[in-house]
Amino acid sequence: MNAITQAPQRCPLDQATGRDFPRWWHRAAQLVDLPLGQRDLDVTGAGLAQLLKRLQALDTPRRALLLTMACLANPQRAAWLQTEVGLHVGQLTATDLGAEVFQVLVGLLATFHPAPSN
């Protein structure tokens, strides 16, 4: 049998999409000192000012993690937010982020299941 006829291997996280996301969000919130129950990150008005202030207070790995969380919570504003902060998470490597932050970041991205659009 060759690669064309074989079924693709599945990552164990494939079955966890959506289900484990709250657990990864909780771990990420701990790393960036967000209130643990906070699931919405507002990127408008006063919420934006608070988010930008918190982003500036963090080191680069945690800033990347919080930026990713904000982009997942507000996908329509993701490009603008990354430009405003001057950081694009896709440019960072595991070495830049450190093992703990990288693991949580990958867990968030692997289990994220966007809400259906109307």
Side-chain angles (χ1 to χ4, degrees):
M1 204 147 65
N2 63 30
I4 294 174
T5 60
Q6 290 177 340
Q9 294 291 324
R10 290 286 183 201
C11 172
L13 288 174
D14 286 347
Q15 294 127 14
T17 299
R19 186 181 68 213
D20 288 338
F21 184 75
R23 182 173 59 97
W24 287 109
W25 186 274
H26 176 79
R27 289 181 63 188
Q30 288 176 321
L31 287 172
V32 297
D33 295 325
L34 280 180
L36 294 180
Q38 185 174 350
R39 185 70 193 273
D40 296 326
L41 294 174
D42 186 16
V43 293
T44 59
L48 176 60
Q50 290 175 326
L51 178 63
L52 291 174
K53 185 176 180 180
R54 184 178 296 271
L55 280 164
Q56 295 307 318
L58 296 171
D59 61 357
T60 300
R62 283 168 178 69
R63 185 179 307 149
L65 183 56
L66 181 57
L67 180 61
T68 301
M69 294 169 75
C71 290
L72 291 176
N74 304 280
Q76 69 282 3
R77 305 277 299 210
W80 176 86
L81 187 57
Q82 291 179 83
T83 301
E84 187 69 21
V85 173
L87 179 67
H88 189 282
V89 178
Q91 297 170 333
L92 299 172
T93 66
T95 304
D96 297 325
L97 297 174
E100 183 178 31
V101 171
F102 182 73
Q103 179 185 16
V104 172
L105 184 71
V106 169
L108 272 176
L109 295 174
T111 59
F112 176 68
H113 188 11
S117 59
N118 294 331

